[in-house]
Amino acid sequence: MDVMLDTEGKEKSATHGAYRRLRGMILTGELPPGQKLKIEQLRGLLDTGASPVREALSLLTSDMLVERIDQRGFRAAPVSKSNFEEILLLRCNLEETALRASIANAEGAWEDRLVLRHHHMKKASQKGAPDFEDAHKAFHMALLENAKLPLLLRYCSQLYDLNIRYRYLAAGGPSYKKRDIAAEHQQILDAALDHDADSATRHLINHYRRTGEYLSSQMES
Amino acid sequence: MDVMLDTEGKEKSATHGAYRRLRGMILTGELPPGQKLKIEQLRGLLDTGASPVREALSLLTSDMLVERIDQRGFRAAPVSKSNFEEILLLRCNLEETALRASIANAEGAWEDRLVLRHHHMKKASQKGAPDFEDAHKAFHMALLENAKLPLLLRYCSQLYDLNIRYRYLAAGGPSYKKRDIAAEHQQILDAALDHDADSATRHLINHYRRTGEYLSSQMES
DNA sequence: CTCTCCAAAAATATCGATATTATTTGACAT
DNA sequence: ATGTCAAATAATATCGATATTTTTGGAGAG
């Protein structure tokens, strides 16, 4: 049957590959909010069978990027201003908790990872690499991961992804006002390395609130 | 093929039915933590095809009640004291946020639902009805639902379910120390109806902390 | 006696096809 | 014209079967 002769960049399983690709398409808006996601159409687009597509859509349902409608299939999750504001609210709440716990557990190895991820993000940002998104998320997650609270981390990751989506929808790409986010990131990093939880959370939350207001203003479309 | 001649309590779709039943079996410990969940075995147990079982397991993965292991199938999510403590921590954090928002939006219709759900729960408790679990959850969710924050509500619901599981595992059933939870519930209800957010959240969190300590002490098994 | 490697067995992941359910189309009556 | 109902169409949900991968069990070498 499918001989799996993937000569180049492959995926372990067809399901996982479909999941990754669909997720990317929804995050970037290639599959716009509310759009009906027909199995046949996606099966052709991803060049795979119906079962992996179905299962990928199921997985995306749990990420809240896809909605299942009773017995009428799937569709890309809709967006709304209130949804965006809820995401922002929860992010501020949960990431503050996580960041404080992370700093409370501070240790050398964690700080090293932090510095490294920050460096990678800066490098990717300067040369406008396409993996800036990944590097950016990796940095933000690194800030939180030392909390060693897996559930909390998972929620933060989910909310981060939901937020990415609004960035793309508002700005059409990751070029969201390249104002001074570099400086903001630097402030957060420095405060975290100083083990100054109050300062770090203040900077982090301001970082979110500011981009939140920017996106909110753009949301009259 | 399957003529769907469900003469009695049926389910809309085979997938949804399998999801519900598997979820119940995991919550009550009928499928113990860490147990391998083989498709064939479950297919026989639930008397359905492999596809619905697979999809139900995928859905349970997002509820964090089932883990998917690379290419080696599924297993019931493991339990641990640290996992339990994280659930408790997040519940206290998220439910406080939700309850305060709920009370801030207080309106007559909401208070009516609250009183009703509380009444149903009390009734189910007295006659030891098997649907006490459902009534109990319905009451707790009613406390939060007026926040009108769907994502937050979803997280609270998920965490509630994860917690149920530990109750069953520790006590072997919903008969978890019938000490004075009725009084505790009454206090929460009264404070909520008074729009006293501070009092309500204090009682709610104490309610969780107390059962948390009780379960934590039982966890040396 | 233990370890490694290969063959047999089991389980998963995936496909193609079918039955079921929802949606659309068009004819007919009001 | 408009609204309703039925047939046709399309899409989903599910099944049975196959290919792929993992696990098991045992034989032979050290």
Side-chain angles (χ1 to χ4, degrees), chain B residues 143-163:
Chain B
L143 283 167
L144 313 176
E145 80 189 6
N146 208 49
K148 285 156 188 166
L149 296 170
L151 291 180
L152 179 56
L153 207 66
R154 183 188 161 116
Y155 285 148
C156 288
S157 172
Q158 263 186 26
L159 292 167
Y160 181 97
D161 289 345
L162 290 176
N163 193 63

Side-chain angles (χ1 to χ4, degrees), chain A residues 51-215:
Chain A
S51 305
V53 171
R54 257 191 100 65
E55 201 160 325
L57 289 173
S58 276
L59 293 174
L60 288 165
T61 293
S62 33
D63 296 338
M64 291 173 291
L65 289 169
V66 164
E67 279 186 0
R68 146 172 270 160
I69 333 170
D70 197 40
Q71 219 125 352
R72 282 184 283 273
F74 302 87
R75 71 172 171 194
V79 295
S80 68
K81 188 158 178 168
S82 67
N83 179 247
F84 172 71
E85 283 163 356
E86 187 181 358
I87 290 166
L88 181 61
L89 176 81
L90 291 179
R91 288 229 296 164
C92 288
N93 184 342
L94 293 180
E95 292 212 14
E96 167 155 6
T97 303
L99 182 55
R100 286 186 184 277
S102 226
I103 290 175
N105 292 337
E107 57 188 7
W110 171 58
E111 294 166 17
D112 292 352
R113 279 199 306 276
L114 217 49
V115 170
L116 215 65
R117 298 270 181 86
H118 181 256
H119 174 66
H120 288 155
M121 180 181 66
K122 249 187 4 190
K123 213 169 56 179
S125 170
Q126 281 161 2
K127 64 175 182 181
D131 60 342
F132 170 72
E133 271 304 342
D134 291 341
H136 186 234
K137 179 171 180 181
F139 172 65
H140 274 281
M141 286 302 128
L143 283 166
L144 313 176
E145 79 189 6
N146 208 49
K148 284 156 189 165
L149 296 170
L151 290 180
L152 178 56
L153 206 65
R154 185 189 160 115
Y155 286 149
C156 288
S157 171
Q158 263 186 26
L159 291 168
Y160 181 96
D161 288 345
L162 291 176
N163 193 63
I164 285 186
R165 194 156 169 246
Y166 282 94
R167 276 216 317 264
Y168 275 95
L169 290 170
S175 61
Y176 60 111
K177 248 331 195 222
K178 233 164 206 153
R179 33 156 226 262
D180 54 352
I181 59 162
E184 292 177 26
H185 285 141
Q186 188 70 53
Q187 286 175 316
I188 300 167
L189 174 67
D190 291 343
L193 293 177
D194 277 355
H195 303 178
D196 184 343
D198 290 336
S199 172
T201 56
R202 194 173 55 246
H203 286 305
L204 182 67
I205 287 180
N206 280 342
H207 179 56
Y208 288 147
R209 288 253 160 78
R210 232 168 287 176
T211 65
E213 280 165 25
Y214 168 67
L215 291 183

Side-chain angles (χ1 to χ4, degrees), chain B residues 30 46 59 68 73 81 88 102 104 109-110 124 142 151 175 181 193 200:
Chain B
E30 194 176 337
L46 301 177
L59 293 173
R68 147 172 270 160
K81 188 158 181 169
L88 181 61
S102 224
W110 172 58
L151 291 180
S175 61
I181 59 163
L193 294 177

Side-chain angles (χ1 to χ4, degrees), chain A residues 5-22:
Chain A
L5 46 70
D6 31 3
T7 24
E8 44 139 356
K10 83 314 228 28
E11 297 286 348
K12 297 187 245 242
S13 69
T15 295
H16 197 242
Y19 170 75
R20 292 288 296 268
R21 292 193 55 193
L22 286 175

Side-chain angles (χ1 to χ4, degrees), chain B residues 154-217:
Chain B
R154 183 188 161 116
Y155 285 148
C156 288
S157 172
Q158 263 186 26
L159 292 167
Y160 181 97
D161 289 345
L162 290 176
N163 193 63
I164 284 187
R165 193 156 169 247
Y166 282 94
R167 276 217 316 264
Y168 274 95
L169 290 170
S175 61
Y176 60 109
K177 251 322 196 224
K178 233 165 210 150
R179 32 155 225 263
D180 54 353
I181 59 163
E184 293 177 25
H185 284 142
Q186 188 70 52
Q187 286 175 316
I188 300 168
L189 174 68
D190 290 343
L193 294 177
D194 277 354
H195 304 177
D196 185 343
D198 290 336
S199 172
T201 56
R202 195 173 53 247
H203 285 306
L204 182 67
I205 287 181
N206 281 341
H207 179 56
Y208 289 147
R209 289 255 160 76
R210 233 168 287 174
T211 66
E213 278 165 26
Y214 168 67
L215 291 183
S216 226
S217 73

